[in-house]
Amino acid sequence: MTKKLYRATEFQSSTGRWHAGDYNHVGANSSAWYYVPRMLNMELTDYIRLLVDTYHVTLDGYYEYTDGRPPLLLYSWKNYDDCHKWTLMVNREAKKRNFKI
């Protein structure tokens, strides 16, 4: 499979909350939250701190599996502008670093 540049997009769920991620390459598990901290060379706690302090996310949950799957981090935004700021930052960094998935 050819790798493509990571590109986040936003959408509003039926709950009214905003979500963002790369949903264009579903076969590559592109919506996985861990791509962004990996791209930014951040540990989980630092990434969560960035999300909360800078991009004002609401943490909806963190789950660790015992079957070898990567953990699941769920978060969302109440405010579109905060979500959009995150999306712009992530896409700028992905382009600058040529981060492909």
Side-chain angles (χ1 to χ4, degrees):
M1 178 191 301
T2 304
K3 292 187 174 194
K4 303 220 177 187
L5 188 67
Y6 185 93
R7 178 146 174 76
T9 56
E10 307 108 350
F11 72 93
Q12 189 174 29
S13 69
S14 61
T15 65
R17 307 285 303 192
W18 288 93
H19 307 270
D22 186 336
Y23 304 104
N24 298 312
H25 310 100
V26 177
N29 195 18
S30 59
S31 61
W33 67 269
Y34 49 81
Y35 283 120
V36 176
R38 184 181 301 162
M39 174 183 68
L40 299 173
N41 287 325
M42 296 182 86
E43 296 291 328
L44 173 62
T45 53
D46 295 328
Y47 182 60
I48 290 173
R49 199 171 297 122
L50 174 74
L51 288 172
V52 172
D53 294 346
T54 305
Y55 297 102
H56 313 290
V57 301
T58 298
L59 295 176
D60 299 318
Y62 178 78
Y63 307 94
E64 289 194 16
Y65 298 101
T66 58
D67 61 3
R69 290 182 288 169
L72 177 62
L73 176 66
L74 300 173
Y75 53 89
S76 59
W77 288 267
K78 292 179 186 175
N79 180 315
Y80 170 77
D81 291 336
D82 292 328
C83 179
H84 189 63
K85 286 177 192 172
W86 179 89
T87 303
L88 289 174
M89 179 276 294
V90 166
N91 289 340
R92 181 180 58 247
E93 289 297 322
K95 186 175 181 179
K96 181 170 81 175
R97 299 165 191 247
N98 196 31
F99 188 75
K100 295 183 178 183
I101 58 171

